[in-house]
Amino acid sequence: MNIEIISIPKIEDYRGNIAVIENEVVPFAIKRVYYLFDVPSNAKRGGHSHKEQLELLIPLSGSFDVVLNDGLTTQTVSLNKPDKGLLIKTNIWRELENFSSGAVCLVIASDTYDESDYVRDFDAFIAEVKP
């Protein structure tokens, strides 16, 4: 599947840890940053794929699951460590679910918002990615 777990360098200190995201950590030029918060535990976010855009999802606080589908297989990745991010590359359907109380999901994207890059219908996604 076209995903990767990215380790984010951290500086450990008895006063609290610091995670550092610099150009060397993110494998693309950062064009947009946004975050999800106050998501009800029974809600789902995502429900789309991207044709060109790459995204790095980082659980800044709490936990959530990312259900991924490449048109052939489905995989669930649980994110709960703020020094581990999930890089989702192109043509991967994603749904975020099972948000814990207080969860915050940071998303670092390779491009600005462009609706034409989204595939929001699952059947259209499957038709697009099938060989």
Side-chain angles (χ1 to χ4, degrees):
M1 191 166 298
N2 210 6
I3 62 168
E4 182 181 340
I5 298 294
I6 302 287
S7 290
I8 299 164
K10 68 178 175 179
I11 301 165
E12 295 184 80
D13 189 295
Y14 70 92
R15 300 167 295 170
N17 299 332
I18 298 172
V20 180
I21 300 172
E22 295 179 322
N23 290 337
E24 298 79 26
V25 174
V26 181
F28 53 79
I30 299 169
K31 298 284 182 82
R32 180 169 62 132
V33 176
Y34 63 94
Y35 50 95
L36 307 171
F37 64 100
D38 291 341
V39 179
S41 62
N42 62 345
K44 291 185 179 185
R45 297 296 314 229
H48 64 269
S49 70
H50 287 285
K51 298 174 189 175
E52 299 292 330
Q53 184 170 278
L54 308 177
E55 291 185 334
L56 178 62
L57 281 60
I58 302 168
L60 292 185
S61 180
S63 63
F64 53 89
D65 293 334
V66 185
V67 182
L68 305 153
N69 187 309
D70 64 2
L72 298 173
T73 61
T74 300
Q75 178 180 348
T76 300
V77 176
S78 296
L79 294 177
N80 59 13
K81 295 182 179 174
D83 63 337
K84 301 287 183 209
L86 174 64
L87 175 62
I88 304 175
K89 299 178 183 176
T90 58
N91 298 315
I92 300 291
W93 187 269
R94 82 284 318 270
E95 290 187 9
L96 286 68
E97 61 185 27
N98 298 325
F99 285 82
S100 69
S101 178
V104 178
C105 172
L106 177 70
V107 181
I108 300 173
S110 66
D111 210 344
T112 57
Y113 178 81
D114 178 4
E115 182 60 32
S116 68
D117 186 57
Y118 285 73
V119 178
R120 296 188 185 273
D121 178 85
F122 186 73
D123 292 335
F125 163 75
I126 293 297
E128 194 168 302
V129 297
K130 284 233 172 172

